[in-house]
Amino acid sequence: MVTPTPQKVSSGGDKVVQCLEREGVEVVYGYSGGAAMPIFDALVDSRIKFVLTRHEQGAAHMADGYARATGKPGVVLVTSGPGATNCVTGLLTALMDSVPMIVLTGQTITSMLGKDAFQEADVTGITYPVVKHSYLIKEAAEIPRVMREAFHIATTGRPGPVLIDLPKDVTQGPCTAPFVDTVNLPGYHVPDRPARALLEKTAALLAKSRRPVLYVGHGAVISNAGQAILQLATTLGAPIVNTLLGKGACTEDHPLHLGMLGMHGTAYANRAVEHCDLIMAIGARWDDRITGKLSEFCPEATKIHVDIDVAEFNKVVRPDVCLAADARLAIEELVPLVRKLDTADWLKEIAGWRRQYPLKYARKGGLRAQHVLDRLDTLGGRDCIITTDVGQHQMWAAQFCRTTRNRHWISSGGAGTMGFGFPAAIGAAMATGTPTWCVVGDGGFQMTVAELATAKLQKAPVKILVINNHYLGMIRQWQELFFDNRLSGADLEGNPDFVKLAAAYDIPGKRVTRAGDVDKAIKWAMAYNEGPCLIDAEVVKEDNVFPMIPAGAPYSGMIVERPKVKMEKPTGST
Amino acid sequence: MSTITEPRGAEFELDPGKAPRRHVVTDVVTAPLHTISLLVRNKPGVLVRVSLVFSRRGYNMESLVVSPALSIAGLGAAPGEFSRMTITCSGDPDTLEQIIKQFEKLVDVVHAIDHTGQPVIESELALVKIKAGLRERTELLQIAENFKAKVVDFGAESLIMRCASETEKLDAFVNLLKPFGIIELVRSGKILMARGLDAT
Ligand SMILES: Cc1ncc(C[n+]2csc(CCOP(=O)(O)OP(=O)(O)O)c2C)c(N)n1
Ligand SMILES: [Mg+2]
């Protein structure tokens, strides 16, 4: 008789990791801890690379950056309790910007759930409002089904983060359940192609327009609709504007492209929106940063809305047609139905605004952030991925660094999460190998600065460009403009020497204080690809981002320079 | 890998030019309360997800009834896999439309239908405990008879009546009882079903 060789029974943790492998996961970002030990143990035998960050928030943003740069889901693995709660900001950031992410959290053993066990937190409870969906796995047999469903939900339709809470006994115990390939979700419906009748109606509305604007958002990036939109724009003779997150869907140096619209958009984009007779949102959601005062937002214009998420229809504006569809499929099917419009006068008018209100900044009085970013754009920034943090530098980067490729612009839009830019850059650079500029404020950089260690260790080609104004600049700007310059909680007194800080991690750095030195520093960083490097750009402390439509003001209230008179406090959202 | 995603129960009219808000009837003045029925997957957390749709908007549910649903033809449901929720709530039409769409967006919600203004059969159950000495009994029993309520507990100083009816009739019933001194009142919340072959 032959004794059968004992087969190693997979643990729940093994199964989780095997499922990740089957989903094509290459890298997991995270931080270890007791409740997640069995999953960490399983990673030892896996070909999946694990990246130990320095904080769970960093892990979440790295996975987010990875996902935004590739379109593939980013994966995070953290422990229970504080490990999981440290991911909440990352979940919000990903949810608001529709980023596919899988967050695996360790949890106390099932028999202790609800008993205040060590490092227990009601993680599914805490995170309901910041996930697309979530699971608490009570039995190992559920692992394969839940893992398949989670990836399906995270990556289809409007993407978003999915959290899976994994009690330690579930991951430590055996799991013999077979892998699952099908998904049966009767309540989950994803539109793909638009209805023919609505496409025809859209085409008919377009045919009547003389002053159209195509308003392109993140949905166009996600569905890779850029080529189709450019085709639509050129066929119609219609100008394009994009949102902060729509940057890169259509190359911003196209002659029909007017750059970004909204609060800090270009004046000519905003004038076009103000005066259009038709505005077509493509994967964009009429955010308050875009509409300004809603009751005065394009009141006469025909509105068309293309979105894969039907809950966006009629949420903010009530469009004339709503196309529930993947943006690329919708536009591809629309193009053959439209013809050239008579927009010659319209384009001439826009060209006039372009001449009248070019993006500009003072050349005197010290080093300007705008100059640094303008030079970055000229010296090859368009061939790199650019991530930003949140604040003035973000808006200047959006204005001056034109994005010419899909997924080459990564920024936290909906949540406006300070601390996002640097870890996101690490994730994007690791995912693509593409040199990645991280444009970051001196405030936000310090929120996740500990990831210098991760960047160094991973040799991520991240070029950190600190726009160092020694202020929470955007806060200072608002206080100057709307609060009688009564500065409060805006001074970043106590900043470290960022070059020395980088040096402490063995990361090379340079300080730039004069406009004349900017090119040299950028070229130096461009040439250094062995790992991260840093430029500390000491820019003028007090400078403002213009144009600006104050929050809650109408487009007609756009200011293009510092107003002479005192301004009312903004009434719009934040 | 194959994927089965069934079409949703509630259809959204995605062309507002044609017929905006088909399921969202806007007559707030005469019908301040809306009734929404949900078919949901019976998963832990589904109730929280549904309530969060209200609470994050600062809205409240007036009543909520959850009960097991039959397995759904074609969905291969094991027994106990689905539940029904019947929610009554107030709110302006735009908010209500958002709320229904947000329900629909939840992965565990199979469909959400606003039945306001639709032909439906509705029902609610009330248990009322009333202070009742000998003198009040006759009158109370007359009211009970009128509303087809049943006395389910007779005490020396109290009685409990059970009444099943439309919500408005129950309101009237309870109002008539108030002068007698209601000690306790428990109502089940409204349930309803669409008439004919329409889906609930
Ligand atoms: C986590 C977080 N906290 C607070 C804010 C509010 N906020 C928005 S911009 C800003 C200032 C950012 O300062 P800095 O990083 O130095 O960038 P700058 O505006 O100076 O370019 C603050 C505090 C935020 N967006 N995120
Ligand atoms: Mg700053």
Side-chain angles (χ1 to χ4, degrees):
Chain A
M1 240 182 76
V2 200
T3 41
T5 42
Q7 278 264 305
K8 184 181 175 263
V9 178
S10 290
S11 71
D14 293 333
K15 205 73 183 188
V16 168
V17 171
Q18 289 157 11
C19 288
L20 292 177
E21 288 170 345
R22 283 171 65 91
E23 298 290 345
V25 173
E26 305 153 331
V27 56
V28 171
Y29 297 93
Y31 214 96
S32 42
M37 290 275 191
I39 312 173
F40 277 89
D41 185 59
L43 278 172
V44 174
D45 302 321
S46 170
R47 57 172 189 270
I48 294 175
K49 177 185 174 90
F50 178 76
V51 175
L52 179 67
T53 62
R54 291 303 179 263
H55 189 291
E56 287 88 352
Q57 182 182 355
H61 294 328
M62 278 180 218
D64 185 319
Y66 173 98
R68 293 191 206 219
T70 60
K72 294 190 276 185
V75 181
V76 177
L77 169 60
V78 297
T79 192
S80 65
T85 56
N86 274 346
C87 286
V88 172
T89 303
L91 286 167
L92 175 74
T93 308
L95 182 78
M96 290 290 260
D97 289 349
S98 315
V99 179
M101 230 159 77
I102 303 288
V103 175
L104 306 169
T105 52
Q107 180 56 281
T108 189
I109 55 177
T110 48
S111 60
M112 287 301 285
L113 284 172
K115 296 182 183 169
D116 303 321
F118 177 63
Q119 289 191 332
E120 185 192 357
D122 177 4
V123 171
T124 48
I126 288 168
T127 57
Y128 281 128
V130 288
V131 296
K132 182 172 177 187
H133 197 55
S134 56
Y135 296 90
L136 165 58
I137 298 192
K138 298 282 287 291
E139 303 203 16
E142 298 175 72
I143 290 173
R145 175 185 59 80
V146 168
M147 293 293 290
R148 182 75 272 279
E149 283 182 13
F151 275 85
H152 179 69
I153 292 168
T155 55
T156 53
R158 180 177 184 170
V162 177
L163 178 138
I164 307 172
D165 206 17
L166 290 151
K168 201 194 75 173
D169 54 328
V170 170
T171 51
Q172 193 152 283
C175 177
T176 52
F179 294 108
V180 170
D181 286 334
T182 56
V183 171
N184 183 4
L185 293 167
Y188 185 68
H189 174 64
V190 177
D192 51 5
R193 284 170 193 286
R196 182 75 195 180
L198 295 180
L199 274 176
E200 280 164 7
K201 183 168 175 185
T202 305
L205 289 174
L206 282 167
K208 279 190 267 173
S209 169
R210 294 293 169 268
R211 301 195 307 277
V213 168
L214 304 180
Y215 143 49
V216 176
H218 199 202
V221 170
I222 294 166
S223 76
N224 203 6
Q227 279 312 315
I229 295 170
L230 280 175
Q231 222 185 335
L232 180 68
T234 44
T235 310
L236 292 168
I240 300 171
V241 297
N242 53 216
T243 65
L244 177 70
L245 294 197
K247 273 172 75 73
C250 305
T251 175
E252 284 188 306
D253 52 12
H254 193 280
L256 283 170
H257 207 304
L258 310 180
M260 185 167 76
L261 82 161
M263 183 177 275
H264 290 299
T266 64
Y268 37 97
N270 286 344
R271 283 282 180 261
V273 171
E274 188 185 350
H275 295 283
C276 71
D277 67 2
L278 178 148
I279 181 162
M280 179 168 179
I282 304 169
R285 58 183 175 85
W286 319 96
D287 175 74
D288 54 81
R289 284 318 196 236
I290 297 302
T291 62
K293 187 175 187 181
L294 197 53
S295 57
E296 291 179 39
F297 178 73
C298 301
E300 304 301 329
T302 300
K303 297 185 187 75
I304 300 167
H305 192 175
V306 182
D307 208 304
I308 202 161
D309 178 2
V310 299
E312 290 300 340
F313 299 144
N314 300 346
K315 184 181 89 176
V316 178
V317 304
R318 203 164 269 281
D320 297 275
V321 193
C322 301
L323 295 171
D326 173 83
R328 184 175 59 80
L329 296 178
I331 304 305
E332 279 176 1
E333 297 197 5
L334 181 62
V335 170
L337 304 182
V338 302
R339 264 173 299 148
K340 187 114 195 125
L341 305 177
D342 179 12
T343 56
D345 290 347
W346 177 230
L347 294 178
K348 216 179 282 167
E349 205 176 348
I350 290 171
W353 288 323
R354 220 194 256 268
R355 277 192 305 274
Q356 189 182 351
Y357 307 111
L359 278 175
K360 58 171 192 234
Y361 54 91
R363 306 270 166 176
K364 293 203 191 99
L367 179 60
R368 302 272 166 180
Q370 300 95 314
H371 173 74
V372 179
L373 295 164
D374 202 9
R375 294 311 297 160
L376 171 58
D377 186 51
T378 311
L379 295 172
R382 294 181 201 180
D383 298 323
C384 304
I385 294 175
I386 295 181
T387 78
T388 77
D389 211 69
V390 173
Q392 290 185 314
H393 65 278
Q394 175 188 36
M395 293 300 128
W396 283 320
Q399 293 174 339
F400 288 91
C401 297
R402 277 184 280 177
T403 313
T404 55
R405 289 187 209 160
N406 210 29
R407 301 191 179 280
H408 265 214
W409 171 264
I410 295 174
S411 191
S412 167
T417 302
M418 284 173 73
F420 169 82
F422 178 42
I426 299 172
M430 284 180 63
T432 59
T434 309
T436 301
W437 282 82
C438 165
V439 180
V440 68
D442 49 329
F445 184 39
Q446 293 182 70
M447 285 202 174
T448 43
V449 73
E451 304 306 340
L452 282 168
T454 317
K456 174 72 188 176
L457 216 59
Q458 301 300 331
K459 301 190 174 64
V462 174
K463 296 140 203 336
I464 305 157
L465 175 55
V466 185
I467 301 297
N468 190 352
N469 52 12
H470 295 267
Y471 269 123
L472 297 172
M474 190 56 96
I475 304 297
R476 196 207 52 75
Q477 172 169 349
W478 279 49
Q479 289 172 346
E480 176 192 327
L481 294 180
F482 309 114
F483 291 84
D484 291 325
N485 205 27
R486 285 153 54 88
L487 299 193
S488 176
D491 194 334
L492 282 173
E493 189 183 11
N495 269 350
D497 176 328
F498 289 110
V499 174
K500 276 193 193 156
L501 186 64
Y505 289 89
D506 197 19
I507 293 172
K510 288 209 187 311
R511 177 162 297 112
V512 179
T513 52
R514 299 182 317 130
D517 297 335
V518 169
D519 284 23
K520 214 171 99 198
I522 291 176
K523 285 180 187 158
W524 164 78
M526 285 283 190
Y528 181 82
N529 281 310
E530 291 85 81
C533 59
L534 179 144
I535 297 173
D536 177 21
E538 295 261 2
V539 298
V540 294
K541 289 182 72 176
E542 290 162 12
D543 200 350
N544 295 326
V545 185
F546 292 116
M548 177 177 199
I549 303 174
Y555 269 59
S556 56
M558 176 174 70
I559 48 179
V560 292
E561 58 191 11
R562 200 178 182 296
K564 306 275 180 299
V565 290
K566 197 194 151 213
M567 301 192 55
E568 290 295 315
K569 289 191 181 67
T571 52
S573 102
T574 62
Chain B
M1 291 185 197
S2 71
T3 296
I4 312 161
T5 42
E6 297 291 328
R8 290 171 173 234
E11 247 179 60
F12 280 108
E13 182 48 73
L14 298 177
D15 181 1
K18 264 198 289 180
R21 321 178 189 129
R22 202 170 67 190
H23 293 301
V24 186
V25 174
T26 59
D27 194 353
V28 189
V29 183
T30 56
L33 285 188
H34 301 269
T35 309
I36 305 165
S37 67
L38 302 174
L39 181 65
V40 303
R41 297 208 302 163
N42 191 13
K43 299 281 176 194
V46 63
L47 183 57
V48 184
R49 292 183 216 266
V50 166
S51 352
L52 283 171
V53 170
F54 281 94
S55 61
R56 85 171 274 202
R57 290 171 178 77
Y59 276 82
N60 218 342
M61 291 184 253
E62 299 292 332
S63 79
L64 162 71
V65 183
V66 188
S67 57
L70 284 180
S71 49
I72 311 296
L75 297 188
E81 194 168 319
F82 294 93
S83 293
R84 289 267 175 204
M85 291 187 187
T86 311
I87 297 172
T88 52
C89 61
S90 57
D92 63 86
D94 287 345
T95 309
L96 198 73
E97 176 180 356
Q98 250 310 295
I99 283 175
I100 293 194
K101 285 179 172 172
Q102 292 299 329
F103 285 157
E104 285 276 353
K105 202 167 155 175
L106 295 173
V107 173
D108 287 336
V109 172
V110 181
H111 70 225
I113 302 176
D114 176 17
H115 292 288
T116 318
Q118 263 190 5
V120 293
I121 298 295
E122 61 160 80
S123 187
E124 185 173 348
L125 190 71
L127 293 171
V128 199
K129 186 183 289 178
I130 313 157
K131 239 165 94 170
L134 268 178
R135 266 178 289 123
E136 292 90 13
R137 288 218 173 149
T138 336
E139 205 178 330
L140 280 168
L141 291 175
Q142 269 172 1
I143 295 173
E145 198 180 320
N146 227 296
F147 283 87
K148 297 203 171 64
K150 213 173 160 186
V151 176
V152 288
D153 181 59
F154 253 118
E157 287 161 72
S158 71
L159 51 83
I160 298 178
M161 290 200 243
R162 182 173 67 200
C163 185
S165 189
E166 285 97 34
T167 298
E168 272 118 70
K169 278 206 193 132
L170 278 186
D171 291 344
F173 175 62
V174 171
N175 274 335
L176 278 177
L177 296 180
K178 268 186 192 156
F180 296 90
I182 296 178
I183 303 168
E184 280 176 344
L185 169 68
V186 179
R187 292 173 67 153
S188 65
K190 186 199 286 192
I191 56 170
L192 60 65
M193 188 172 273
R195 282 181 185 266
L197 283 176
D198 283 353
T200 307

